[in-house]
Amino acid sequence: MAATLAVMLAGCGLVSPVEPDDPAGPLPTIEIGSDGTQASDLVAALYVAALQANGDPAVVVDVTPGTEMLALADYSPMAMPVFAATQLQEYSNEPLSSEAATTISDLATEIAPEVGMLEASKLDGGLVWAATPESGLTSLTDLAGLPSGAIAVAPGFAMTISSGVPVLEVAYDTTLIVTELDDPGARAAALASGDAVAALFRRTEVTDLDGLVELDDPVGVIAPDPLVAAVSSELAEQRPDAVLVLDAVQQQLDQDAYAELVAASAADGLEPAITAWLASRGLAG
């Protein structure tokens, strides 16, 4: 009988990958979820390609944002990339930790036992305020000096997350009017046109951040939001070999590796870029 992959550390829902003793038998196609954002689509496609290179049938399926953990608990999808801090805010209104490992552990505790989480996470999708070089803004402290009623734009999820829009006025005494704008390209365009003086991005929105000034956060109110692989407990129990593949991808996926993949996808197309990325890291089967 194969050894079980889903070793729960201290009962908190963190999954520790271990090699199965025997190869798993053939099972249905592995569904990897995506919430439709650029980072989710890209990493989900990366997971699928790595699984396929390992001989596992796998596909990307759409998941409605805000339903990720319910969907995983229902085993559809079986795994997906999620931003841990963003997910944690669905369970708690407490301020987010400045330590990514703490955020991962806290979320793992909340979602256990139906859903587990791989600990490996080197990619931060935390928030960052940005402005154009022409604005002269370099720090969030500069926002207090802007005229009352100046416009900023931010994605919808950041309008309520504790390290997003709500903390800005409290920590930096700003009087900005923040408008919801989900498309990162539209946020960058609003800055370029002068329709907004500042915009909030994820650090994974690297294409849209290119050429902008990331505003310093001297108070330290913006927390990391590590991208992690969340897995259904059923997948962890039935396909430990497949979860090992996801863990191998997570071990390689840091800020530079992600930016490399984004750039290659834009230049060469998604499938060739993913194939080359996996091959260069020994993950192409």
Side-chain angles (χ1 to χ4, degrees):
M1 183 176 181
T4 301
L5 176 75
V7 177
M8 300 303 179
L9 303 183
C12 66
L14 292 174
V15 175
S16 178
V18 295
E19 192 73 42
D21 294 331
D22 305 307
L27 285 171
T29 298
I30 297 172
E31 296 180 354
I32 300 296
S34 170
D35 66 10
T37 59
Q38 182 194 48
S40 189
D41 282 348
L42 188 56
V43 177
L46 190 60
Y47 288 171
V48 164
L51 288 164
Q52 290 174 342
N54 193 55
D56 293 306
V59 296
V60 176
V61 297
D62 295 332
V63 176
T64 302
T67 68
E68 293 91 343
M69 296 305 150
L70 289 173
L72 286 162
D74 286 339
Y75 202 42
S76 181
M78 302 166 186
M80 71 179 292
V82 299
F83 287 106
T86 301
Q87 291 295 321
L88 185 59
Q89 292 282 273
E90 298 288 330
Y91 299 91
S92 171
N93 292 322
E94 293 295 319
L96 293 166
S97 173
S98 61
E99 298 294 331
T102 299
T103 296
I104 293 171
S105 178
D106 288 348
L107 178 60
T109 300
E110 294 289 349
I111 63 178
E114 292 86 359
V115 182
M117 187 184 308
L118 294 174
E119 289 182 272
S121 179
K122 301 178 181 180
L123 179 61
D124 180 23
L127 297 172
V128 57
W129 286 94
T132 63
E134 295 76 18
S135 71
L137 302 174
T138 60
S139 170
L140 291 177
T141 57
D142 297 335
L143 299 180
L146 294 174
S148 178
I151 302 296
V153 289
F157 78 89
M159 303 295 283
T160 56
I161 193 170
S162 65
S163 63
V165 173
V167 77
L168 193 63
E169 182 177 353
V170 175
Y172 289 102
D173 194 28
T174 67
T175 57
L176 291 174
I177 297 174
V178 183
T179 301
E180 183 176 328
L181 195 57
D182 282 327
D183 182 2
R187 277 177 260 136
L191 291 177
S193 67
D195 291 337
V197 295
L200 191 56
F201 296 89
R202 281 199 187 276
R203 292 195 175 278
T204 48
E205 292 168 340
V206 292
T207 301
D208 306 292
L209 279 167
D210 187 37
L212 298 177
V213 176
E214 296 185 12
L215 304 184
D216 292 336
D217 173 28
V219 178
V221 296
I222 297 180
D225 199 347
L227 185 138
V228 295
V231 298
S232 166
S233 60
E234 289 188 50
L235 182 69
E237 292 166 2
Q238 297 178 19
R239 293 301 308 271
D241 54 324
V243 181
L244 278 170
V245 173
L246 302 182
D247 185 66
V249 172
Q250 284 291 117
Q251 295 287 353
Q252 296 291 328
L253 195 59
D254 59 17
Q255 303 298 137
D256 291 339
Y258 179 81
E260 174 191 327
L261 184 56
V262 170
S265 297
D268 306 324
L270 180 61
E271 187 173 341
I274 286 178
T275 299
W277 192 95
L278 291 172
S280 68
R281 290 161 175 83
L283 300 176

